[in-house]
Amino acid sequence: AQKVTQAQTEISVVEKEDVTLDCVYETRDTTYYLFWYKQPPSGELVFLIRRNSFDEQNEISGRYSWNFQKSTSSFNFTITASQVVDSAVYFCALSEKGTGNQFYFGTGTSLTVIP
Amino acid sequence: NAGVTQTPKFRVLKTGQSMTLLCAQDMNHEYMYWYRQDPGMGLRLIHYSVGEGTTAKGEVPDGYNVSRLKKQNFLLGLESAAPSQTSVYFCASSYRGLSQYFGPGTRLLVL
């Protein structure tokens, strides 16, 4: 079974629109970490955020915000006022303490921001 | 501070040939990982290491071997390359399994 599900394969938005990328995870561990990574067209993987399972506070960083809800096992990522430079593939990932901190990645969401 | 580096950046192999991919990190991280990325599949863990001299299998270990003789290096070996191993390979390192920092990737084409 997929531990991290990103149901949105591709999303297109017009510049300045807001967009939310969904991430649903599955774990039986009580201690785990959730991550978002960005992979721009150049191919490198860029770390965006890490949350631990004991901290459900939402986080905002500039135009980026993250909504962590344990009740629905979701860790969604919202980009406000999207820009062309936000065009990339975004990956959600899960790390469980119980499995030696192995990382499990979702299949990614490809975001295209149209100027 | 170079972070995580990978050698080579690109390689073409013929079926049955062998090669070694080198990953090096200068952040003194204990954990290191090898992933492969295929279209529509995300990143899948091949092998990982939680310290010098230790390695463990990930999700897709078959056809690969690894070694961690030095803390800063993690080698990925293909003994007999197959076309199914055509992929982009990423190395990553982390401090005690927390945030991973990735190398730039190695594109491997097996003909």
Side-chain angles (χ1 to χ4, degrees), chain B residues 82-93:
Chain B
S84 60
Q85 293 178 306
T86 292
S87 188
V88 180
Y89 292 86
F90 285 96
C91 175
S93 71

Side-chain angles (χ1 to χ4, degrees), chain A residues 3-15:
Chain A
K3 281 186 173 286
V4 178
T5 301
Q6 295 180 255
Q8 304 151 307
T9 306
E10 295 180 1
I11 300 176
S12 293
V13 298
V14 176
E15 200 170 19

Side-chain angles (χ1 to χ4, degrees), chain A residues 5 22 24 28 31 39 47-48 53-54 59-60 79 95:
Chain A
T5 301
D22 298 332
V24 174
R28 293 182 179 180
T31 302
Q39 187 175 41
F47 166 77
L48 295 178
S53 53
F54 300 108
E59 183 156 338
I60 298 175
I79 301 174
S95 172

